[in-house]
């Protein structure tokens, strides 16, 4: 059973960088052929795919967020990380990490983290 868990600060100030880590257990983030994604859900809105890092280490991003999104990984810890720069209150959302078979979302996720609330406020 694959398990994912998000961690990181729940409050970020505007203009700062949001950083979250997803810790994976029960499966390796280097296993062919899976993609490890970040998805967020602003209050009252639907899920939005942000980006993913592949089993190979290649990264893929939503066009709307690419300019300020960076996903990286630490294979020794079986973790991958989201960095979202220059945040505004519109970035307030529940953030999820998830596993899926496609390099681009949405859809196909078979395992999800519980999600973590991040609020952008001064």
């Amino acid at each position: 059973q694959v398990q994912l868990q998000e961690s990181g600060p729940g409050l970020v100030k505007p203009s700062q960088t949001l950083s979250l880590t997803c810790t994976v257990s029960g499966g390796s983030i280097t296993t062919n052929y899976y993609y490890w994604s970040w998805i967020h859900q602003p209050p009252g809105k639907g899920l939005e795919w942000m980006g993913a890092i592949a089993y190979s280490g290649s990264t893929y991003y939503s066009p709307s967020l690419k300019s300020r999104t960076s996903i990286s990984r630490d294979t020794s810890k079986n973790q991958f990380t989201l960095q979202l720069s220059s945040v505004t209150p519109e970035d307030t959302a529940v953030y999820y990490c998830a596993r899926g078979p496609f390099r681009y979302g949405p859809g196909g996720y078979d395992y999800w983290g519980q999600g973590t609330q991040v609020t952008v406020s001064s």
Side-chain angles (χ1 to χ4, degrees):
Q1 185 79 18
V2 175
Q3 294 180 313
L4 297 84
Q5 182 170 281
E6 304 90 348
S7 61
L11 181 65
V12 183
K13 294 184 180 297
S15 82
Q16 294 186 338
T17 296
L18 181 160
S19 296
L20 296 173
T21 296
C22 184
T23 300
V24 179
S25 61
S28 174
I29 60 173
T30 65
T31 297
N32 300 352
Y33 298 95
Y34 290 108
Y35 298 82
W36 304 88
S37 293
W38 287 100
I39 304 103
H40 71 176
Q41 185 172 34
K45 298 183 179 180
L47 297 165
E48 180 183 28
W49 178 80
M50 303 178 70
I53 187 162
Y55 58 94
S56 64
S58 297
T59 53
Y60 309 90
Y61 300 104
S62 169
S64 65
L65 297 168
K66 182 178 180 179
S67 65
R68 58 193 186 99
T69 303
S70 180
I71 298 172
S72 58
R73 68 180 184 175
D74 184 339
T75 58
S76 69
K77 297 180 179 179
N78 213 35
Q79 296 177 327
F80 62 104
T81 299
L82 170 72
Q83 292 187 291
L84 182 66
S85 66
S86 303
V87 298
T88 73
E90 293 183 357
D91 294 312
T92 293
V94 177
Y95 286 76
Y96 299 91
C97 54
R99 189 182 80 166
F102 308 122
R103 66 182 64 180
Y104 293 105
Y109 314 114
D110 54 359
Y111 293 97
W112 294 73
Q114 291 182 317
T116 187
Q117 173 70 44
V118 179
T119 299
V120 179
S121 177
S122 61

